[in-house]
Amino acid sequence: MMKPRRLIALMAKEALQIRRDPSSLYIAFALPLVLLLLIGFGVSLDAKDIRMAVVLEQSTPKAQSLVAAFRASPFFVVDEVRLRQDAEAGLISGQYRAALLLANDFESRLNRGAEAPIQVLLDGTDANTARLAKGYVEGVWAKWLAYEARSAAQSITLPISVESRVWFNPALESRHFLIPGLIAIIMTLTGTILTALVVAREWERGTMEALIATPVGRFELLVGKLAPYFVLGMGGMALSVLVGMSVYDVPFRGSWWVLTLCSALYMACSLAMGLLISTIAKNQFVAGQVALIAAFLPAFMLSGFVFEPSSMPLPIELLSRIVAARYFVTILQTLFLAGDVWSVIWPNSLALLAIATFFLALTWKRTRKSLE
Amino acid sequence: MSAAITLDGVGKSFGRTPAIRQLSARIESGRITGLVGADGSGKTTLMRLMAGLMKPDQGTIAVIGSIGTMPQRFGLYEDLTVAENMRLYAELRELPPADQPATFARLLGFAGLDGFQTRLAGKLSGGMKQKLGLACALLAKPDVLLLDEPSVGVDPVSRRQLWTMVGDLATQGVAVVWSTAYLDEAERCDHVLLMDKGQLLHDGPPAQLTARVAGRCFVAKGGERRKLQSLAAANANVRDALIQGASVRLVLHAGSLPPDLPDCTLEPVAPRFEDAFVTLLEDTGPIPALPPRPHPPSHADGIAVRADDLVRRFGDFTAVDHVSFDVKQGEIFGLLGPNGAGKSTTFRMLCGLLPASSGKALVGGLDLAKAAAQGRQRLGYMSQKFSLYPELSVRQNLNFFAGIYGLTGSTKRQTIATMEKVFGLESLAGSDAGTLPLGFKQRLALACAIMHGPDTLFLDEPTSGVDPLVRREFWSHINAMAAQGVSVLVTTHFLDEAEYCDRIGIVYAGKLIAIGTPDQIKARARSETRPDPTLEDAFIALVEEADR
Amino acid sequence: MFGRIRSLIIKEMLALWRDPKSRFVMIIPPLVQLAVFSYACTYDVKQASLALLNLDGGLAARELVARVAGAPVFSDLVVVGTEEQLRDAIDSRRAMVALRIPQDFSRKVEQGGGASVQVILDGRRSNSAQIVSGYLQNIVTAHNTQLAPGTRIPPLVTRSWFNPNLESIWVVVPGLVGVLTQVVALVVTALSVARERELGTFEQLLVTPLRPWEILVGKTMPALLIGLIESTIIIVVSSWWFEVPMTASLVLVYAAVVAFVASVIGVGLFISALCSTQQQAILGAFFFLVPTMILSGFATPVENMPDWLQVVTLANPVRHFLHLIWGLFLKGIGPAQAWDSIWPMLVIAAVTLTGSALAFRRRLY
């Protein structure tokens, strides 16, 4: 039978312990802050300032004008080099990520229009940057051609032109979608570690045995553990959101109450997972390691935080569906950048609910009132 | 009297190892039942079964009334205060709030913790923790009180207080189960369940057991005690020979005549619980002897270990407070004291594991914290905690320690073979050290500490938790080494074990409060009311004197 | 002396191997991670969902649609009928990119040009969306050439060196040599001393004639061996299974691995020497692992970080190693260039190993 009195006593005890031993507070507040600041600055997919070598074999006005167009682009930092060999050596040493080669016959080729007048070499060891750089080079090239055509008063009218628009993130600022994802990852970590270590500590110190010997029931035991750390975790979450918005200028377009509810669901998932880990491991060392392997790494790799699950092979894509972080990352990205899009929020929060229920049920089963 | 707990054919296994086999017994109300046995005998498992924390595989356990338990490591929250711990357990047991102040006052008074309500439980001494644990267990007003090794780590003074508290409860009709590895405690219980390897060896009042060896116990006096002891142990009529102060205590085989030992007088004495316990255990025959040392150790001034005005502070806490003593060549010197008194800290300073705040710690004339590594070649060390590699096999552990002490080739092989033979490890050579029974772990640890033939041996609580037979075996080796000139420094909290030492020093609250032979120490507590004090009596008297 | 160190090394190897828990930690997670992460860590977009709103019924529009739908990357095509539905498809993440063909499209194409289509990208996934938009652009360009051969833009030749098809796997799998080897080598060493402290065996070692540097060597060798085995497995898998080309000499690759593992072991032992419990050691290892992994260039390029952070990453052995291993695998760099990345790792190793020897010397508090 649930007795509110016992529950309150357990929660009060937990609160006192948190006050006396502030390591939980560090995990809930300092850890997210440090990780968010360090990683937030560290992760960026924006290929800005791509170092590019330009080999100008013959310096004609047209060639100069093209080089100037590249210099004007925010994406490139241009270095003029004399020889093709220098550019190639720079690519190998990593000094340059791209090289632009303008041959002797650049202008004649340009006028004939048949063969390619310029050649671009990209460093494929960073496939993503290379791919983005390729797009940027093409953009600069097309713009320059149009400009040249206009100044020559001849127009090339393309049958079809493409106008691109980016919704939600017009500046293509990768931090805007990475930071919400990062908040989700960090919450996974703190939520899981908080409960994983705290319950394992009770087993290690023998206090769990003493609690079990009292009339305390499973429900009181679990809720008594979950509730205080839930509050802490939500506090950490609020802090992370504030930091994300103030330090990284990520917009928030959803409504606060949806964010709170979804975060609460996700916090329940993380805490329940931590509780399950510690109930099985019963020692802080193993619990810490399992939390790392089972919670952090999948959240990092399989949640869609940086790597798109839909691009993964099917078995791995299926695996990513049991990672709670995947749903929360989606929700957060949408809430921050798009707003309350119910067609995203509903299915994803239902998935979170299902996972939380699953972990709690499993923990419930494992927390038998005995030591076996 | 009525049975509060009835055990009927109870069995319990972990994996394939049976912990309890076919055990039937009754725990009666209004008396203290001692659950006695060495580590691994099944005491704790039986306690947990009775507390309902585990279910038996076979048999039934019937409990009448409510149970209060105090597990071995009682679940006090070390970062909560005394009062907060009490309140938590009171709330969990749903004690009416109105009754709480009165109950707390009564229990804290009972436990002698009145003045400590706002102290963190983690900052209490071992004895106070146990008393607080008991107070928390009593909140439930239990009909049955299960105490799992309540006296471990508790100083003799607190142990007596705890005993008195529990005695009071028993007179009020509570059924108390007190599990212990100390045989002198067993003797004071109303009723004893003696366990060994999961089985019940004895079920009855302790006197009933001691009565079995009545008339077979003697004390032999005269001559050199170690020679006397080895002579007596070799005698066919003697079942057990044990050094006790300057004399030797003998237990004869049933029906044997007192042996004829040269130059000594035999006096019959009253049997003790331990005498009877030893006769119940399987007689393993004579203890194999260690091979003699090629060269006896020699120290320039005959002093092997010197602690000279040693001080160690941790922050503003002084763990060791101006301790001085010498250990002579070939001497067995015992450091005695409750946990936390500063024994281990002194020990670690002497071994060079911990720098002294001031004073000198010399072994063989060298300060090991500063001396070259070779200085440590002459030292053997066995720490309190099992400190071998649990995942390595017995043979691999021996190989490793032989290797780092520089034994090679045939010397190494021979030494390892000898150690395995002497300590009975031959058949276990391939087993993981971590899975050995405690007695064998301790044997292996001793083997690793002495295989390179050290001049000085440091033993930190070498026999805690092992059964009396293993203890005898250890002391036989220690005695043999001392006879060859090896100096031994040993710590213990078994007061009876201190009797085997040539000299002892009693450490209390960081100070060395007494030093001398066991008989000299006992003599200090002799009074009109107590003409023949035990070491424990002496210890308590000395501690009380120091507190004053 | 050699006898003592040999005994120590044998003991360390046995201790690691005979303990089922550490055996598990050494074998299973790295293999699972190799399998999962090789495939999971990809920025390639092989399949993208495209919402198509065709407001024009004309032939030209149908031709363009046929061309787009024919591209393998757009096999997941969502045809929507209204602006509303298009918005919804993007909002609900049903589609990553939308293509909107306006009403006057066919008319303008037939008139000889000036028609435009709109591409709408989901900014929540802007990286993938940009790549997909590049694909769309290419399709339209190809279509233009077909429609009006005379108006073609002078083409641009782009060649990707070292990785012609820009395969993520070619980058990720060699990168895993660094990431996974670091985890194992770090955990093994960071826990080793702390574990011995908890077991009490460290005290036992300190009362033997062993010197601190001998203990250090004894702890280093097994971890080095494990690191080498781990790297070898990943290198073999990457060459044989993922067919990543290996363009530099194996000797250089192993020189790089040894320098890297040595630097990681140095850090691990340093953490270990400072911590007194395994709990602290695992947290310490963790606080080192997470930032070094994220700031290594593995997931996102170092060049994209702010300048001050790029300076900080110079102390990160993984960053140097990844730069080196990509150079060795894909670029075929020579010893001189390899040395530029090897010496920083050797400096890290030297500093941390000296630090741990000093910390050992302090014995126990």
Side-chain angles (χ1 to χ4, degrees), chain A residues 16-219:
Chain A
L16 270 173
Q17 278 188 299
I18 292 169
R19 219 181 64 202
R20 297 259 159 75
D21 171 14
S23 68
S24 309
L25 290 178
Y26 289 137
I27 296 178
F29 296 105
L31 181 75
L33 205 62
V34 171
L35 288 181
L36 200 58
L37 290 178
L38 195 63
I39 304 175
F41 282 115
V43 291
S44 160
L45 293 169
D46 304 335
K48 281 177 189 152
D49 301 340
I50 299 168
R51 292 187 305 269
M52 176 188 247
V54 175
V55 185
L56 208 57
E57 290 187 346
Q58 199 181 28
S59 182
T60 62
K62 279 231 161 149
Q64 290 288 6
S65 138
L66 178 60
V67 174
F70 273 100
R71 278 192 202 282
S73 156
F75 300 115
F76 298 102
V77 175
V78 174
D79 256 1
E80 268 184 58
V81 297
R82 275 293 173 82
L83 300 169
R84 194 190 161 105
Q85 282 84 338
D86 293 343
E88 289 176 355
L91 273 182
I92 291 175
S93 72
Q95 191 189 351
Y96 300 119
R97 284 290 184 191
L100 180 70
L101 308 175
L102 283 91
N104 265 329
D105 52 352
F106 166 67
E107 282 198 42
S108 61
R109 281 195 191 204
L110 183 66
N111 293 336
R112 261 179 288 151
E115 298 155 83
I118 62 168
Q119 219 182 43
V120 178
L121 302 180
L122 297 171
D123 177 358
T125 54
D126 181 351
N128 191 53
T129 306
R131 211 175 275 129
L132 294 174
K134 186 174 177 228
Y136 300 147
V137 169
E138 279 164 2
V140 173
W141 177 237
K143 241 174 149 180
W144 182 76
L145 282 176
Y147 171 79
E148 285 292 302
R150 255 201 313 283
S151 55
Q154 45 165 252
S155 67
I156 317 170
T157 347
L158 290 173
I160 307 168
S161 59
V162 175
E163 289 165 27
S164 286
R165 252 179 299 153
V166 184
W167 283 3
F168 315 129
N169 185 9
L172 288 172
E173 187 72 56
S174 66
R175 288 219 173 89
H176 283 186
F177 69 90
L178 288 176
I179 297 292
L182 189 57
I183 293 176
I185 308 289
I186 292 173
M187 285 302 105
T188 314
L189 200 59
T190 50
T192 316
I193 288 192
L194 270 180
T195 42
L197 294 187
V198 163
V199 180
R201 193 175 63 187
E202 293 236 6
W203 281 108
E204 266 179 14
R205 297 193 181 165
T207 46
M208 194 55 110
E209 204 175 320
L211 284 186
I212 288 174
T214 66
V216 171
R218 273 198 279 194
F219 181 84

Side-chain angles (χ1 to χ4, degrees), chain A residues 244-275:
Chain A
M245 290 173 63
S246 57
V247 177
Y248 299 106
D249 292 324
V250 184
F252 183 76
R253 305 201 172 99
S255 44
W256 292 106
W257 68 272
V258 180
L259 178 69
T260 312
L261 279 184
C262 291
S263 307
L265 263 183
Y266 187 65
M267 196 46 68
C269 280
S270 298
L271 293 175
M273 186 159 169
L275 208 53

Side-chain angles (χ1 to χ4, degrees), chain B residues 376 381 385 389 391 432, chain C residues 18 195-196 198 204 208:
Chain B
R376 295 194 290 270
Y381 174 74
K385 241 172 76 182
Y389 295 93
E391 63 278 344
D432 286 1
Chain C
R18 289 177 61 100
R195 179 175 155 76
E196 293 221 24
E198 264 179 30
Q204 195 77 53
T208 67

Side-chain angles (χ1 to χ4, degrees), chain C residues 63-275:
Chain C
E63 275 172 9
L64 181 65
V65 167
R67 199 175 255 270
V68 169
V73 71
F74 296 121
S75 56
D76 184 9
L77 196 67
V78 188
V79 180
V80 293
T82 62
E83 304 272 355
E84 199 86 311
Q85 285 171 344
L86 181 140
R87 168 165 285 278
D88 191 55
I90 294 279
D91 278 356
S92 67
R93 298 172 67 117
R94 177 68 190 84
M96 184 191 288
V97 181
L99 178 67
R100 180 178 176 279
I101 303 177
Q103 271 170 344
D104 55 357
F105 179 80
S106 296
R107 188 169 52 81
K108 282 197 175 164
V109 171
E110 274 150 35
Q111 280 170 2
S116 71
V117 291
Q118 280 101 46
V119 172
I120 294 142
L121 309 177
D122 181 350
R124 287 168 292 181
R125 295 184 273 182
S126 62
N127 194 65
S128 308
Q130 278 186 79
I131 290 164
V132 174
S133 123
Y135 295 156
L136 266 179
Q137 178 75 54
N138 288 347
I139 292 173
V140 172
T141 308
H143 194 58
N144 275 342
T145 321
Q146 200 188 344
L147 284 176
T151 58
R152 52 177 295 175
I153 311 181
L156 175 76
V157 173
T158 320
R159 257 186 288 147
S160 298
W161 274 20
F162 320 126
N163 183 3
N165 296 322
L166 295 180
E167 297 268 7
S168 279
I169 278 191
W170 283 24
V171 183
V172 168
V173 179
L176 287 177
V177 177
V179 172
L180 298 186
T181 306
Q182 190 204 14
V183 175
V184 171
L186 192 71
V187 169
V188 163
T189 45
L191 294 182
S192 67
V193 179
R195 179 175 155 76
E196 293 221 24
R197 281 221 168 106
E198 264 179 30
L199 283 175
T201 50
F202 199 61
E203 289 201 359
Q204 195 77 53
L205 285 188
L206 289 178
V207 297
T208 67
L210 285 169
R211 297 178 178 87
W213 69 265
E214 290 171 336
I215 298 180
L216 207 63
V217 173
K219 296 263 169 214
T220 308
M221 287 305 148
L224 194 62
L225 192 68
I226 290 162
L228 282 175
I229 294 172
E230 190 91 35
S231 320
T232 305
I233 293 174
I234 305 174
I235 290 170
V236 167
V237 169
S238 72
S239 303
W240 288 19
W241 175 254
F242 294 107
E243 296 176 348
V244 182
M246 156 80 80
T247 51
S249 77
L250 266 181
V251 178
L252 267 185
V253 171
Y254 275 94
V257 171
V258 169
F260 172 61
V261 176
S263 64
V264 173
I265 289 173
V267 175
L269 285 177
F270 191 60
I271 293 174
S272 207
L274 294 182
C275 299

Side-chain angles (χ1 to χ4, degrees), chain C residues 3-41:
Chain C
R4 284 202 299 266
I5 295 181
R6 212 190 59 160
S7 300
L8 255 179
I9 294 177
I10 294 175
K11 184 270 296 182
E12 293 290 336
M13 298 299 294
L14 285 171
L16 278 173
W17 187 248
R18 289 177 61 100
D19 176 20
K21 230 191 282 167
S22 71
R23 205 159 56 202
F24 176 83
V25 168
M26 283 189 300
I27 299 173
I28 304 299
L31 289 182
V32 171
Q33 285 162 355
L34 178 62
V36 173
F37 297 163
S38 306
Y39 290 106
C41 301

Side-chain angles (χ1 to χ4, degrees), chain B residues 75-278:
Chain B
L76 291 172
Y77 288 92
E78 305 219 325
D79 37 14
L80 299 192
T81 63
V82 169
E84 284 161 356
N85 267 297
M86 291 283 282
R87 196 164 310 120
L88 171 67
Y89 284 102
E91 285 292 317
L92 295 182
R93 298 212 173 268
E94 295 171 83
L95 215 65
D99 297 358
Q100 283 184 13
T103 314
F104 291 172
R106 182 173 57 82
L107 287 175
L108 287 174
F110 179 55
L113 290 168
D114 286 321
F116 299 98
Q117 299 203 23
T118 55
R119 187 176 289 196
L120 292 185
K123 295 258 156 83
L124 296 175
S125 75
M128 284 156 101
K129 276 184 197 162
Q130 293 295 35
K131 285 184 269 184
L132 175 59
L134 185 58
C136 288
L138 291 178
L139 281 167
K141 291 193 198 123
D143 301 311
V144 183
L145 187 60
L146 303 175
L147 308 170
D148 197 1
E149 308 219 19
S151 54
V152 168
V154 175
D155 60 281
V157 182
S158 304
R159 210 166 111 191
R160 279 206 181 164
Q161 291 168 343
L162 210 54
W163 191 261
T164 322
M165 287 165 70
V166 171
D168 285 352
L169 292 170
T171 41
Q172 290 162 28
V174 176
V176 179
V177 181
W178 174 297
S179 92
T180 182
Y182 298 106
L183 298 175
D184 56 331
E185 273 177 8
E187 209 157 356
R188 292 187 210 148
C189 296
D190 301 318
H191 191 93
V192 162
L193 300 174
L194 182 62
M195 294 190 64
D196 187 52
K197 299 187 184 84
Q199 277 166 323
L200 215 50
L201 288 186
H202 175 74
D203 177 5
Q208 195 183 333
L209 192 65
T210 41
R212 292 206 216 166
V213 285
R216 286 157 61 187
C217 299
F218 295 89
V219 163
K221 282 184 181 159
E224 209 283 307
R225 59 187 195 145
R226 279 197 201 118
K227 268 193 205 125
L228 185 59
Q229 191 269 346
S230 45
L231 265 180
N235 192 295
N237 293 358
V238 177
R239 173 67 211 260
D240 185 37
L242 197 63
I243 292 177
Q244 198 176 19
S247 43
V248 176
R249 187 182 186 93
L250 305 177
V251 181
L252 307 184
H253 282 289
S256 295
L257 290 169
D260 185 20
L261 297 169
D263 307 329
C264 74
T265 52
L266 284 186
E267 273 174 37
V269 284
R272 292 184 318 181
F273 193 80
E274 182 169 345
D275 300 328
F277 184 19
V278 171

Side-chain angles (χ1 to χ4, degrees), chain A residues 253-254 329-341 344-345, chain C residues 91 93 124:
Chain A
R253 305 201 172 99
V329 167
T330 308
I331 292 179
L332 280 187
Q333 286 177 347
T334 300
L335 280 179
F336 271 91
L337 299 175
D340 296 342
V341 181
V344 172
I345 292 166
Chain C
D91 278 356
R93 298 172 67 117
R124 287 168 292 181

